[in-house]
Amino acid sequence: MNTIDYEKLAELLFPNVTQTVDDMEKLYPPRNLPEGAIVSRLAPSPTGFVHLGNIMQGLTSERLAHQSGGVLYLRVEDTDAKREVAGASEMLIEMLSHYGIIFDEGAALDENGNICDKGAYGPYKQSQRAFIYHVYAKKLVREGKAYPCFCTEEELEQFHAEQEAEKANFGYYGKWAKWRDRPIEDIEAEIAKGNKWVLRFRSTGSIEHKFKYNDLIKGEVDITENDIDHVLLKSDGIPTYHFAHAVDDHLMRTTHVVRGDEWLASLPFHIQLFQALGHKLPKYVHIGTLMKMDGTSKRKLSKRKDPELALSYYKSEGYPTESVVEYILTILNSNFEDWRRANPTAPLDDFKFSAKKMNAAGSLFDIAKLSDVSKNIISRMSADKVYDEVAAWAKEFDAEFYAEFTRDPEYTKAALSIGRGGNKPRKDFALWSEVKGYMGFFYDKYYDVNGIYPENFDADTIRSALRKYLKVYDPKDEQTVWFDKIKDVAEELGFARETKEYKTNPDAYRGHVGDISSFIRVAVTGKQNSPDMFSVMQVLGEDKVKERIEKQIERLRG
Ligand code: GLU
């Protein structure tokens, strides 16, 4: 074929495409940003499953873009209609904003919760960008860099079988690239018959050629040229990921592509495609797969086996978003934890995120570590903040607890204030769903009347301790007096006033003051573990404390 034929072919395949590449370039001009500003994006497919990978990529792009004074945008990659789930894009946007990933532009939600475009580089849903891809497809055909292929599924399967038998590489290349150099008459004949075609890239690469490429995380990687004539447009005119990537990231003026490293294998093709289109290659940040320990070996987190892969899991379990974000940052940047230790209360924005500090191999996800991080973060929150967060979580996920928790906000906040503030705040819970177990006893509904007492004491002993205590209990006592009274009860019943005394001479006592405290604790809270008893009793108030102890005396009568 000569150049004229390519022109003709381009018209034959895309008769309705009248706009040119220049028109597109004018429509989406380079961004006017300062030197060094990064333009990055999150480009998820709306499959209805939002996962940790999305947030890892989202946070990485977000930090790189915003810390450089650049732009972060969201592009919805909905070119695979088979995988698309209704409402998935909306859910994606909501979930990402829940985790504080705010996009400057891209697909967004309007005030009615419907998807809309925000920004000058849209549409941001790939399904609405067919007219753009076709302009570039036509250009490639005109330049002899792409051609239509009419192979049927059966033929492609046949090639695959032959390649298997010949132990050849799989794919559409060499003698199997049946439509690569066909005369235009053959193509016209197929089109006249109404046969479907896909548009293929005419690769000029060779697997004999290797070169080096510098990935921002992986460093220098060895690349073997691509020799496959991959599909650019499917038979319905919708682009493959590869082609859409090379067009969209160029036109949207992306400088940094942050994506999962499952795309590393396609990089040779992408580099080729950008070159063929005359587009500047963006920088790539390929994030390693998230792994977890399974026994003694590592494996990929799996959608089927690991509920913690889904972001919805953290929301329904009630992990504070701050905790998830903080933990993800510890995974993403190796120096984050040291920074956090040195700056325990600094806002996350103060941390200088860097692609260089990212782990080239897959990172390990450890949910126990996330819980530790979360306990720390919650311990530093104010009671008001914890109240608001728990209320919002419970409203959605535990309506019964919500009713109790919010009935008297001042009471609940007083309960939440125990052990909060000061240099060593208590680290009692890591997620909002643990709050009920921790402080539910403040509400009668969750107070366990059948609380279990320390097992080495009989009911009579416990009952007399409670009776004696009830006689001396005075809510107006300050803490030392309050504790002295418990010691008095201990002494009267032949228990040591101090644990130390008991330890040096255990045979001389029936127990020690800690045991008496335990009896009171179980009576008042229904549990052997609780926040500071003095404060608990103050929040519960005189009536409730007396009522519960009396009930227990009754119960222990047997
Ligand atoms: N839709 C692709 C994915 O979800 C996007 C990859 C990319 O960021 O370029 O894997």
Side-chain angles (χ1 to χ4, degrees):
M1 271 198 246
N2 57 34
T3 332
I4 307 297
D5 287 332
Y6 291 142
E7 273 297 338
K8 190 172 167 195
L9 180 57
E11 286 310 319
L12 182 64
L13 297 178
F14 300 100
N16 300 324
V17 174
T18 52
Q19 284 181 301
T20 64
V21 164
D22 281 347
D23 295 331
M24 296 299 115
E25 294 290 327
K26 277 195 203 104
L27 213 51
Y28 305 105
R31 292 166 186 270
N32 194 3
L33 290 170
E35 184 73 24
I38 289 177
V39 178
S40 194
R41 82 302 189 267
L42 188 63
S45 304
T47 60
F49 182 63
V50 193
H51 50 85
L52 286 171
N54 293 129
I55 191 123
M56 288 185 56
Q57 289 163 32
L59 267 175
T60 303
S61 322
E62 192 275 341
R63 291 288 78 189
L64 293 176
H66 288 158
Q67 291 198 334
S68 66
V71 174
L72 175 73
Y73 70 88
L74 177 67
R75 183 170 71 228
V76 175
E77 303 218 321
D78 57 347
T79 53
D80 190 351
K82 281 196 292 297
R83 290 178 67 208
E84 188 163 359
V85 171
S89 303
E90 290 83 345
M91 179 178 107
L92 189 69
I93 296 171
E94 268 166 26
M95 194 64 101
L96 293 168
S97 88
H98 179 73
Y99 286 99
I101 302 183
I102 307 296
F103 297 94
D104 306 300
E105 66 176 58
L109 294 182
D110 64 17
E111 51 294 356
N112 302 319
N114 297 320
I115 292 271
C116 66
D117 272 340
K118 189 174 120 187
Y121 288 80
Y124 295 92
K125 264 188 125 181
Q126 287 183 329
S127 56
Q128 294 165 5
R129 298 174 62 81
F131 73 99
I132 303 173
Y133 305 124
H134 291 182
V135 169
Y136 284 88
K138 189 168 186 176
K139 165 193 155 82
L140 289 180
V141 173
R142 190 178 281 134
E143 293 173 359
K145 294 173 180 167
Y147 63 91
C149 162
F150 293 86
C151 282
T152 59
E153 279 302 316
E154 292 72 39
E155 284 174 286
L156 296 176
E157 276 165 27
Q158 168 68 25
F159 299 163
H160 192 89
E162 288 170 18
Q163 288 163 348
E164 196 155 38
E166 291 180 29
K167 296 196 170 29
N169 289 335
F170 292 126
Y172 198 91
Y173 66 99
K175 65 177 177 184
W176 289 287
K178 297 282 185 223
W179 284 89
R180 190 175 157 110
D181 289 312
R182 289 284 269 265
I184 197 156
E185 294 72 27
D186 289 6
I187 295 171
E188 282 170 329
E190 292 293 319
I191 289 179
K193 280 187 264 173
N195 284 344
K196 287 193 175 309
W197 50 274
V198 299
L199 190 73
R200 287 190 182 271
F201 182 63
R202 185 190 302 275
S203 173
T204 51
S206 156
I207 53 170
E208 303 302 323
H209 296 156
K210 299 191 192 311
F211 61 101
K212 304 249 181 238
Y213 175 77
N214 222 333
D215 182 86
L216 288 196
I217 300 185
K218 309 271 177 199
E220 203 169 71
V221 285
D222 287 318
I223 304 251
T224 301
E225 277 184 7
N226 164 59
D227 67 344
I228 310 282
D229 286 359
H230 286 294
V231 174
L232 302 176
L233 291 178
K234 295 177 262 185
S235 59
D236 53 5
I238 299 291
T240 53
Y241 163 75
H242 316 287
F243 190 45
H245 160 49
V247 171
D248 290 347
D249 280 311
H250 167 70
L251 285 182
M252 294 178 178
R253 309 293 167 177
T254 308
T255 63
H256 287 58
V257 168
V258 176
R259 63 184 180 184
D261 67 359
E262 68 273 18
W263 293 113
L264 207 50
S266 312
L267 188 59
F269 174 39
H270 298 165
I271 293 174
Q272 220 176 9
L273 200 44
F274 272 81
Q275 253 164 14
L277 286 163
H279 295 166
K280 180 167 184 267
L281 195 67
K283 292 203 162 51
Y284 286 97
V285 180
H286 284 104
I287 299 196
T289 317
L290 212 46
M291 316 285 276
K292 80 182 257 185
M293 289 308 291
D294 194 352
T296 51
S297 55
K298 282 187 196 172
R299 68 163 170 80
K300 249 173 94 168
L301 275 166
S302 114
K303 181 174 173 181
R304 198 168 45 82
K305 291 193 212 150
D306 306 308
E308 72 268 29
L309 184 58
L311 280 189
S312 55
Y313 172 83
Y314 301 91
K315 196 167 181 223
S316 59
E317 291 291 302
Y319 284 88
T321 53
E322 292 91 330
S323 307
V324 176
V325 170
E326 177 105 4
Y327 178 58
I328 297 284
L329 284 172
T330 67
I331 299 183
L332 286 176
N333 260 199
S334 56
N335 56 334
F336 181 82
E337 268 183 284
D338 285 344
W339 172 83
R340 178 47 93 203
R341 257 189 293 277
N343 306 277
T345 55
L348 284 182
D349 268 349
D350 290 0
F351 174 72
K352 182 82 189 97
F353 189 91
S354 159
K356 291 198 189 69
K357 299 287 183 191
M358 295 178 81
N359 189 351
S363 313
L364 205 55
F365 183 78
D366 177 359
I367 199 142
K369 181 109 188 262
L370 166 59
S371 284
D372 287 344
V373 166
S374 193
K375 278 185 181 162
N376 258 324
I377 289 190
I378 295 178
S379 76
R380 278 199 290 270
M381 288 179 181
S382 69
D384 280 350
K385 161 102 172 145
V386 174
Y387 177 85
D388 291 344
E389 295 279 343
V390 176
W393 172 83
K395 189 170 187 183
E396 196 174 347
F397 297 102
D398 189 347
E400 186 191 84
F401 181 59
Y402 175 75
E404 299 299 321
F405 189 80
T406 56
R407 182 167 299 125
D408 179 351
E410 290 322 306
Y411 174 73
T412 297
K413 285 180 193 175
L416 289 171
S417 299
I418 299 173
R420 205 159 281 285
N423 291 337
K424 282 200 146 239
R426 288 182 60 103
K427 296 175 183 173
D428 291 291
F429 45 89
L431 32 159
W432 307 134
S433 53
E434 289 174 354
V435 171
K436 183 159 78 178
Y438 164 73
M439 51 91 75
F441 65 84
F442 277 103
Y443 316 104
D444 284 344
K445 187 171 200 89
Y446 302 112
Y447 162 69
D448 183 5
V449 242
N450 299 313
I452 314 257
Y453 288 94
E455 58 184 13
N456 36 346
F457 299 97
D458 59 44
D460 276 350
T461 306
I462 299 170
R463 190 160 59 96
S464 37
L466 292 179
R467 278 183 37 215
K468 282 190 189 305
Y469 181 67
L470 198 54
K471 282 205 195 99
V472 295
Y473 163 65
D474 181 345
K476 290 188 291 298
D477 288 341
E478 44 143 317
Q479 190 150 8
T480 44
V481 180
W482 170 85
F483 197 38
D484 278 342
K485 286 184 173 175
I486 299 179
K487 289 181 179 173
D488 293 343
V489 172
E491 194 169 342
E492 276 180 54
L493 287 171
F495 285 64
R497 276 187 86 89
E498 310 287 343
T499 319
K500 250 196 338 263
E501 289 168 9
Y502 175 77
K503 286 212 174 118
T504 44
N505 199 0
D507 293 337
Y509 303 99
R510 297 168 70 190
H512 57 81
V513 61
D515 298 318
I516 306 292
S517 295
S518 285
F519 304 159
I520 300 170
R521 188 186 300 274
V522 174
V524 172
T525 69
K527 303 181 343 156
Q528 292 192 17
N529 288 308
S530 77
D532 174 57
M533 269 311 286
F534 174 72
S535 313
V536 165
M537 285 163 73
Q538 287 206 320
V539 173
L540 276 169
E542 178 174 9
D543 293 348
K544 192 54 67 194
V545 169
K546 284 188 169 160
E547 176 195 312
R548 289 188 179 177
I549 296 180
E550 274 159 10
K551 258 205 206 129
Q552 291 296 312
I553 293 172
E554 194 60 33
R555 173 191 159 210
L556 291 162
R557 186 165 289 147

